[in-house]
Amino acid sequence: MRDAPRHVSIPVGVGLILGGTILAPLPVFGVWMFPLGLAILAPHSPSAQRLSRRFHWWSIKCLRWSIRNGFVRVKRRPRNGDQDDGSPPEEA
């Protein structure tokens, strides 16, 4: 949306933010509309850009917390130098 004209992207972004705020209790609408509206507004407004960066930082922090506390499991891939044949690691 960086190349979109301001007269199109600003009303769409504001509409998504307001719609996400008002329709948040509904299962299909709501939560996803707010960050999308911020992403659309961010190139055109410094305050929306700051809020978008802060929201992104908060989501990363929340994801790290949930991984640390076991709510989200991360599948780890072996590094290039490590060989993984599927057997359990040997104990020394």
Side-chain angles (χ1 to χ4, degrees), residues 14-92:
V14 170
L16 283 170
I17 290 173
L18 290 177
T21 305
I22 294 169
L23 301 174
L26 298 176
V28 176
F29 302 106
V31 178
W32 63 271
M33 295 170 74
F34 186 77
L36 184 63
L38 278 178
I40 291 173
L41 278 179
H44 303 291
S45 168
S47 60
Q49 195 169 20
R50 277 192 306 273
L51 191 58
S52 179
R53 272 184 287 176
R54 197 172 294 157
F55 184 78
H56 179 71
W57 174 82
W58 179 81
S59 66
I60 295 295
K61 187 175 179 180
C62 195
L63 179 64
R64 286 180 182 161
W65 179 87
S66 60
I67 290 171
R68 204 176 317 121
N69 290 313
F71 293 107
V72 175
R73 297 179 69 189
V74 177
K75 188 174 184 179
R76 297 179 187 247
R77 287 188 250 152
R79 296 183 188 161
N80 291 341
D82 298 341
Q83 293 180 355
D84 186 22
D85 57 359
S87 61
E90 298 177 15
E91 294 183 20

